Amino acid sequence: MKTEFQNNLTTKINLTVKPDRMSLFSSLLGQGFTLKIRTGISIRDLLCRQIDVSDDYLDQRIQTIFLDGKVVDNVDTAVVRQGSSLALSAAMPGLAGAVLRRGGTYAAMRSQISHKNNTVDDSAENGTVTLKLFNLVALELGPLFLKQGIWISGKNMGNFFRRVPDFFWDGCLTAEIDGNSQDVRKISLMEWRQEQVFLKLKTKKELHQQKLDIS
Amino acid sequence: MDKILRINMGDKNGPKASEGPLGDYAGLGGRGMTSAIISKEVPPLCHPLGKDNKLVIAPGLLSGSHAAQSGRASVGCKSPLTGGIKEANVGGQGAQVLARLGYAAIVLEGKPGDDTLYKVVIKKDGVEITPENSFKMLGNYDLVDKLKEEYGDKVACISIGPAGEMKMAAASIAFTNMEQRPTRHAGRGGVGAVMGAKGVKVIILDDTGMPTRSPKDPEKFKAANKAFVQGLKKHPITGEGLPAFGTNILTNVINEAGALPTHNFKTGRFDGAGNISGETQSEIMKARGGMVAHGCHKGCVIRCSGIYNDKDGNYITKRPEYETVWAHGGNCGIDDMDAIAELDRMDDDYGLDTIEMGATIGVAMEAGLAKFGDAQAAINLLKDVGKGTPLGRILGSGAAVTGKVFGVERVPVVKGQALPAYDPRSVQGMGVTYATSTMGADHTAGYAVTANILNVGGSVDPLKPEGQVELSRNLQIATAAIDATGMCLFIAFAILDQPETFNALVDMIGAFTGQDLTADDVTELGKNILSFERDFNSRAGFSAKDDRLPDFFKAEALPPHNVIFEVKDEDLDQVYNW
């Protein structure tokens, strides 16, 4: 993944969790996180050339896409600009699901909220994009981003830790804030006023591997 | 399934049951059966709660067989909510058991001379109708618990709660699920009030000793059913999305589209959507030992339902569906999943349509009876409905009446029925269906079924403005046909995307009935059903002016996209021109 996460002024949280706790972060990923990435490029270029999402996954699995809240039909012509919000979902049920599906038979039924295609120009530049992952896409792509680390709003993260079920904490094995170890249970009690925090996850298996490597 | 059971609740000697052949109704099932009977036998100008109205309960054409997803029943009558014809579709065990008992329909007719409440027991050997006033004002959960003691846990129950007994226009009819819980509801249009007016508290269906219905060509049927199931399981919606997140998988996506009606249809986005999304809901359910993927009837392989427990692991309700989560959630500004689950449980227990009640509470909040976001106030308002206080009687009459009583202008109804969870300003094509459906605003009236594969109504140029009207028309025709089969509408996506799965469905129906279906047959069936319904509504006094959305959808721009409903009235009037 060719993204840039470095920012010394922001709080960094590293958690080590059991693998089955990873899915709990789906709801957090659905609220959006920030990517520092090249913008002014098509959705396909952003997902498949800047991030390691395969073309097949984009074409087959990601069936519903919103760019700045508008429904996208063509991932090759819709351009992600600086400050854009991009939401990714698998295919959805219901008439609404069929209507919102990209390039679907029923796309005409929501033409008022369809993204109007634009073209890639020469204005590609480093910038920030808010990415939202929903449902199966969150389960499948979420670990990729969480292991690299994501920038999220402190408020959203605080709400997430306050609402997360108790059993999450049994599977949260270690916690570090800005490099200092913390009691994992105390994280749910903390106030997160920062506009952005950097959250990075490791799973228990990786922790074991790391220890073995050291030894 | 070669007979119709009629129960005259108004006979001078007390309720009287009689069986008859199918006659003119041969070959009909589900919505085809209910709408044909209502259209032919019910005087369109009768009072919905009077002796001349009829309540028809009909399993689908394939119900009671081994066909996967064939457990839907249709409940029809003249609606106390809309004043027009009504078909409310429902899952649960009722359709399968009723079909195995050999009945293509149960028809409740007439009206008792007093307020005696009756229990109807239908078995292989006959029908028994007995007064049971001890059941008065019992909630559906307590009622079913009592029945379990007497009839065991294998029977299917079709019942009303206090709302139906009080003949509220938002009252539903409960069908028990596989665990014999009253969680599946024929919700829309006040069908529960009609059952209450007939004096029937519960119908108990016992199919002991009755075989599964046999297809005409067992080998072909078996092979087609197998291919159909494989198609459902391999599709990402029916095989993965719905089992993992239920229908509430839609909350995040509809919210992102700016189409989630919020604060009584003021905006299209809800800040708290993430807290009540399907993703969050599933994690809560898993953490509390609930069940994430669960069918509502035997033979369901999609399993979009589930079990929602409280913090201590005790059962509260089934997985609240998307429509419920929206109605009691975003529409009322409530982002507390536990509160929504409690409201869902109360709706099921009192016997109320969750969509109508959520929309009604939204209107009540707009009127100042409670603040948006106040979950406890919403619970208290619903308790008023269950108790039948004067305020509760108003709320239980639905959003339209509540809006009138409290002088609210923004009342989201068509033909008196509350709009479901998709704002028609963002999804205009759905607005066409809301406006023109014979049922009042209904998200399942024009479902995304196989209109395109069937080429119903010819091909549509989606780039033309009139394309939305054509799409809605075609979808309404195709949906009416599917509703007649007893198949769950969620099969739509597998048959829409996978031609081999669509072919398996057609083969399965053909092998079961012994008749080869063509696309033209299906189209004709759908048109016939809509024609019955349209004709009934016309004779009941409905006209083009009733096929309209409320004015505010054309006048108030919906954030965040700031769109209004733009489909012209003259285009809406073309939906039924075929």
Side-chain angles (χ1 to χ4, degrees), chain B residues 89-313:
Chain B
N89 205 274
V90 60
Q93 287 291 93
Q96 305 282 31
V97 178
L98 185 57
R100 280 196 286 271
L101 282 162
Y103 294 110
I106 300 174
V107 185
L108 300 182
E109 305 174 330
K111 187 175 181 178
D114 59 23
D115 63 354
T116 301
L117 205 53
Y118 290 90
K119 171 180 77 176
V120 178
V121 182
I122 304 174
K123 297 181 180 176
K124 176 186 173 188
D125 303 324
V127 180
E128 191 177 275
I129 307 162
T130 51
E132 196 61 84
N133 286 322
S134 67
F135 289 170
K136 278 192 174 176
M137 296 303 276
L138 274 185
N140 281 312
Y141 273 93
D142 283 346
L143 173 70
V144 170
D145 281 347
K146 269 180 177 276
L147 295 171
K148 192 180 290 185
E149 292 170 13
E150 188 173 352
Y151 298 97
D153 60 3
K154 300 289 188 287
V155 299
C157 301
I158 301 172
S159 63
I160 56 170
E165 288 187 55
M166 291 186 278
K167 304 177 192 66
M168 291 175 171
S172 63
I173 296 176
F175 282 53
T176 47
N177 64 8
M178 287 193 288
E179 288 75 37
Q180 215 176 47
R181 288 175 173 140
T183 58
R184 319 315 306 184
H185 285 246
R188 309 241 63 195
V191 292
V194 178
M195 189 159 159
K198 302 297 179 199
V200 176
K201 177 73 174 178
V202 61
I203 300 170
I204 299 149
L205 302 169
D206 183 348
D207 66 352
T208 303
M210 295 301 289
T212 300
R213 292 179 66 212
S214 299
K216 298 280 187 194
D217 184 341
E219 289 307 312
K220 187 179 174 191
F221 176 82
K222 189 176 174 185
N225 194 29
K226 186 178 176 187
F228 181 60
V229 169
Q230 284 172 343
L232 293 174
K233 286 188 172 173
K234 79 176 183 186
H235 192 275
I237 293 176
T238 48
E240 296 179 89
L242 284 169
F245 303 109
T247 58
N248 195 23
I249 191 172
L250 283 164
T251 288
N252 270 334
V253 172
I254 303 299
N255 191 54
E256 188 66 18
L260 187 79
T262 301
H263 292 185
N264 189 33
F265 287 77
K266 273 200 204 72
T267 75
R269 285 245 176 94
F270 179 43
D271 285 344
N275 297 329
I276 56 174
S277 68
E279 292 88 327
T280 302
Q281 188 184 44
S282 285
E283 292 303 335
I284 292 171
M285 290 163 67
K286 276 191 272 188
R288 295 176 180 178
M291 194 179 287
V292 170
H294 190 47
C296 74
H297 67 269
K298 287 176 184 167
C300 171
V301 297
I302 297 175
R303 300 172 302 136
C304 71
S305 190
I307 291 176
Y308 191 99
N309 291 338
D310 67 14
K311 287 175 180 165
D312 299 321

Side-chain angles (χ1 to χ4, degrees), chain A residues 18-31:
Chain A
K18 290 182 178 174
D20 65 351
R21 302 316 198 258
M22 196 71 101
S23 66
L24 287 164
F25 288 84
S26 292
S27 58
L28 187 61
L29 297 170
Q31 292 177 313

Side-chain angles (χ1 to χ4, degrees), chain A residues 35 39 67-68 80-86 125 127-130:
Chain A
L35 286 180
T39 59
L67 182 57
D68 298 324
V80 185
R81 308 272 183 207
Q82 156 63 23
S84 284
S85 171
L86 180 66
E125 58 185 1
T128 58
V129 171
T130 299

Side-chain angles (χ1 to χ4, degrees), chain A residues 20-28 30-31 60-61 63-71 85-101 104-114 132-140 159-160 163 165-168, chain B residues 235-237 240-242 244-247 249-250 252-254 256-259 269 271 274-275 277 279-280 283-284 286-287 335-337 422 425-430 433 443 446-452 461-464 467-468 471-472 475 490 493 496-497 561 563-564 566:
Chain A
D20 65 351
R21 302 316 198 258
M22 196 71 101
S23 66
L24 287 164
F25 288 84
S26 292
S27 58
L28 187 61
Q31 292 177 313
Q60 303 298 322
R61 193 62 154 177
Q63 289 290 309
T64 312
I65 299 176
F66 300 93
L67 182 57
D68 298 324
K70 299 285 183 79
V71 189
S85 171
L86 180 66
L88 310 176
S89 164
M92 290 287 98
L95 175 58
V99 166
L100 297 174
R101 191 187 292 191
T105 309
Y106 306 114
M109 298 178 94
R110 44 79 175 164
S111 55
Q112 281 77 1
I113 60 166
S114 295
K132 298 177 183 178
L133 305 180
F134 297 144
N135 49 71
L136 297 171
V137 176
L139 291 176
E140 291 162 356
N159 285 338
F160 171 76
R163 287 172 178 264
D166 279 346
F167 91 106
F168 168 78
Chain B
H235 192 275
I237 293 176
E240 296 179 89
L242 284 169
F245 303 109
T247 58
I249 191 172
L250 283 164
N252 270 334
V253 172
I254 303 299
E256 188 66 18
R269 285 245 176 94
D271 285 344
N275 297 329
S277 68
E279 292 88 327
T280 302
E283 292 303 335
I284 292 171
K286 276 191 272 188
D335 68 351
D336 179 343
M337 199 61 239
Y422 315 86
R425 287 166 287 192
S426 294
V427 188
Q428 308 244 329
M430 195 171 270
T433 301
H443 63 295
Y447 211 71
V449 288
T450 54
N452 197 46
D461 181 353
L463 298 177
K464 290 182 180 174
Q468 302 203 346
L471 282 169
S472 174
L475 290 171
F490 291 153
F493 303 92
L496 191 67
D497 291 339
H561 300 306
V563 285
I564 59 169
E566 294 176 330

